[in-house]
Amino acid sequence: MMAASWQLWRDRRGRLSTLRIAALIFLLTPLIKAIFQANEIAHGARPLNELIHRAGFWALVFLGVTLAITPFRRILRYGNLADIRRMLGVGTFCYIAAHLTLFFADQSYDPGKFIHEITHRVYLIIGAIAWIGLAALAATSTDGMVRRLGGLRWRRLHQAIYAIALLALIHYFQQTKADVTVPTFAAGLFLWLMAYRLLAWWQDTSELSTLSLLGLAFAVSVLTFAGEAIGIAIAFHVSPLRVLETMFDFDVGIRPGWQVLAAGFAVAAIDAVMARWRNRTTRARAVAAE
Ligand code: HEM
């Protein structure tokens, strides 16, 4: 039995899929949370602005999770993970569509004001380019469009996701008024996702060793520390070395470089466990077959 395309909880063969159900719940969580907090949001200072922020933030999270599918299907030795990539990508677009609709509502549904705002602020122009890119990818994500474009052209088009993610991160940084710790952490994770692909391509492999993953975590963490120090140095006209001196000062908070290092090490640890587990099951199967 084939599943109807709207039956998102069924896989291609029409079977109920736990993975797809989990992805759907994950995608709906921010919406459900906002519904539960509706009263609190409505009585806040700027309810529409609060919702714009929530939708933008979660769109970026889902974009990151979509990009994490490729490395994680290898690290978890779970190729089937690719089955939820399209759902996550389209889910990202739904949140970004809500983000823009809420922004339009915040401009009192006045098209002139809406266009004027977007075209007069650099961070909104950058957001708009990323938005159009995501819309193009969502529109070409159906089986029919994959067939019409042909595999190679479709893949090339969808590689635009890397540039779109970069624009979304710039938009995120630019709209942040004070503390850039969270955007810097997000940028560090994005760097890891890109560096993983580059290293795999350079080593001509689809699976990086645990040692390579440890090296990757370390290198990305160093770049995150350096990026943060240079950014703060430029913004506040201080020496980047002065900024770096604060990296061991945990009283002011844990710097994003450490957070990225911890995340990278956690991924390497998961890889080591999965590699051992796979070796054991392969050996057990070989013994059973003898
Ligand atoms: C035309 C397109 C877009 C418009 C008009 C727009 C507008 C906005 C506005 C008004 C804010 C709040 C700024 C403030 O309060 O000062 C915001 C924040 C944000 N936007 Fe967008 N945006 C667009 C596209 C995007 C895209 C494509 C993404 C990412 C996928 C994105 C992600 C975010 C994020 C992450 C935030 C900050 C959320 C937070 O505070 O945690 N935006 N955007």
Side-chain angles (χ1 to χ4, degrees):
M1 183 185 75
M2 285 271 288
S5 56
W6 54 269
Q7 288 183 317
L8 296 172
W9 49 90
R10 291 189 185 278
D11 64 16
R12 281 180 179 271
R13 291 197 202 153
R15 290 175 309 194
L16 217 59
S17 158
T18 320
L19 182 64
R20 283 171 156 256
I21 294 171
L24 268 175
I25 294 173
F26 179 45
L27 283 169
L28 290 172
T29 306
L31 186 66
I32 295 167
K33 196 168 158 231
I35 293 170
F36 271 102
Q37 296 176 336
N39 210 15
E40 192 186 313
I41 296 170
H43 290 98
R46 291 179 64 193
L48 270 177
N49 193 257
E50 167 70 22
L51 290 175
I52 290 173
H53 277 265
R54 284 181 185 226
F57 177 79
W58 282 101
L60 195 66
V61 170
F62 293 134
L63 184 60
V65 175
T66 311
L67 286 173
I69 295 285
T70 295
F72 274 85
R73 59 192 293 226
R74 290 164 190 163
I75 289 160
L76 297 173
R77 276 81 178 160
Y78 187 49
N80 201 23
L81 207 57
D83 189 40
I84 54 167
R85 184 164 28 205
R86 184 187 336 201
M87 196 194 280
L88 288 166
V90 176
T92 303
F93 179 70
C94 291
Y95 277 90
I96 222 55
H99 187 59
L100 191 59
T101 310
L102 289 159
F103 177 72
F104 187 43
D106 205 27
Q107 306 306 308
S108 323
Y109 299 103
D110 177 345
K113 211 170 150 200
F114 172 76
I115 307 243
H116 183 271
E117 270 301 298
I118 293 182
T119 50
H120 283 77
R121 287 173 204 261
V122 177
Y123 87 96
L124 292 184
I125 295 175
I126 292 173
I129 299 170
W131 199 100
I132 294 166
L134 278 172
L137 298 194
T140 52
S141 66
T142 59
D143 287 342
M145 280 311 274
V146 181
R147 267 196 305 275
R148 205 180 297 171
L149 286 169
L152 189 66
R153 265 171 64 197
W154 186 88
R155 263 201 305 279
R156 284 223 184 107
L157 175 70
H158 279 246
Q159 273 168 359
I161 193 68
Y162 307 128
I164 293 171
L166 183 64
L167 291 176
L169 275 173
I170 296 173
H171 170 77
Y172 186 22
F173 264 101
Q174 286 186 318
Q175 71 82 47
T176 308
K177 269 99 204 166
D179 187 0
V180 288
T181 305
V182 184
T184 309
F185 175 56
L189 294 183
F190 175 69
L191 192 64
W192 186 94
L193 290 167
M194 293 300 104
Y196 179 98
R197 286 165 165 87
L198 264 181
L199 194 59
W201 168 78
W202 188 56
Q203 291 187 358
D204 199 14
T205 174
S206 63
E207 219 170 89
L208 292 185
S209 66
T210 305
L211 197 65
S212 292
L213 288 173
L214 283 173
L216 192 68
F218 186 70
V220 172
S221 159
V222 169
L223 287 172
T224 309
F225 273 116
E228 189 196 28
I230 293 168
I232 294 180
I234 293 171
F236 297 97
H237 307 289
V238 289
S239 154
L241 295 175
R242 281 277 308 279
V243 183
L244 280 177
E245 276 167 17
T246 65
M247 68 190 262
F248 291 105
D249 185 357
F250 295 110
D251 289 340
V252 293
I254 299 170
R255 307 311 316 145
W258 294 120
Q259 298 170 1
V260 170
L261 187 68
F265 278 175
V267 171
I270 293 171
D271 182 72
V273 171
M274 293 310 288
R276 270 196 75 175
W277 186 63
R278 187 172 64 172
N279 279 347
R280 230 196 268 166
T281 42
T282 320
R283 265 205 309 273
R285 275 203 201 119
V287 170
E290 269 171 19

